[in-house]
Amino acid sequence: MANSTLEPAKTAEPRATKPSLAKALQSIFSKSEEPNESKAIAKRRRFVMAAVLGTLSVNLLMFLRFFFPRALYEPKTKFKIGYPSDFGFGVDTKFQNQHRIWVVRNTEGIFVIIAICTHLGCTPDWKPSENKFKCPCHGSGYDPEGINFEGPAPRPMDRAHVELDPEGQIVVDVSHAYSWPKGERSQFGDDGAILHV
Ligand code: FES
């Protein structure tokens, strides 16, 4: 006999579908790319930050530079060379390299010759054996007091201002020179051109 009660129709159970290969690959790659991408972003950020900081630092340095003027440190023009008793008769060359001067003592006193040839500005050499200064550039010659007597030099070499400080040391000032231009009065006897010691 046929069963008159109708059994409820079985609903079809959803078939478990296998994940497609494409989806699987996508999930693998999307997971592995994430950290790489964030690393790249962090790297870019660091690069931009470094560039910004570098630019700011350069600008800051340029700004600060305005407060420090470009100073040109030149040799001192006024300096002490010792006591008169330190200098014997004749030409003393010990300050030639440091200050470009010679200290000379003669029968009248002590004076300082500025070691610059009056032709074109070379530094003459002191030749003790010849008792003269000789310029290596064009051959001008000067006697032990710096008076020209040969070559193209037009006049004697200049002398620097000299004075004694309160302790009795000789102070030389090469920014204050005494000269003897050709055909004009000599300044070599002026106050400050020689120390009568
Ligand atoms: S520079 Fe000294 S002779 Fe010319």
Side-chain angles (χ1 to χ4, degrees), residues 79-84 87 110 163-164 168-172 195:
F79 45 87
K80 294 177 187 178
I81 58 171
Y83 296 91
F87 300 95
I110 290 176
E163 63 188 28
L164 294 177
Q169 285 210 63
I170 302 170
V171 180
V172 178
L195 286 172

Side-chain angles (χ1 to χ4, degrees), residues 4 13 37 39 55 70 78 81 86 101-102 117 125 155 158-159 182 185 192-193:
S4 60
E13 282 182 15
E37 196 175 326
K39 269 186 198 168
T55 306
R70 287 186 188 188
K78 196 169 182 178
I81 58 171
D86 297 335
I101 59 164
W102 300 294
C117 179
D125 299 312
R155 61 185 168 85
D158 294 343
R159 298 182 186 179
K182 199 171 183 180
R185 184 184 77 85

Side-chain angles (χ1 to χ4, degrees), residues 3 12 41 44 57 87 89 94 106 127 138 147 149 168 170 175 195 197:
N3 192 354
I41 290 170
R44 275 202 293 274
S57 305
F87 300 95
F89 196 85
K94 65 171 168 266
N106 66 8
K127 306 276 188 189
H138 312 98
I147 312 296
F149 65 90
I170 302 170
S175 69
L195 286 172
V197 287

Side-chain angles (χ1 to χ4, degrees), residues 26-42 44:
Q26 190 183 4
S27 69
I28 290 168
F29 280 119
S30 63
K31 277 176 190 167
S32 64
E33 274 173 10
E34 247 175 48
N36 282 343
E37 196 175 326
S38 58
K39 269 186 198 168
I41 290 170
R44 275 202 293 274

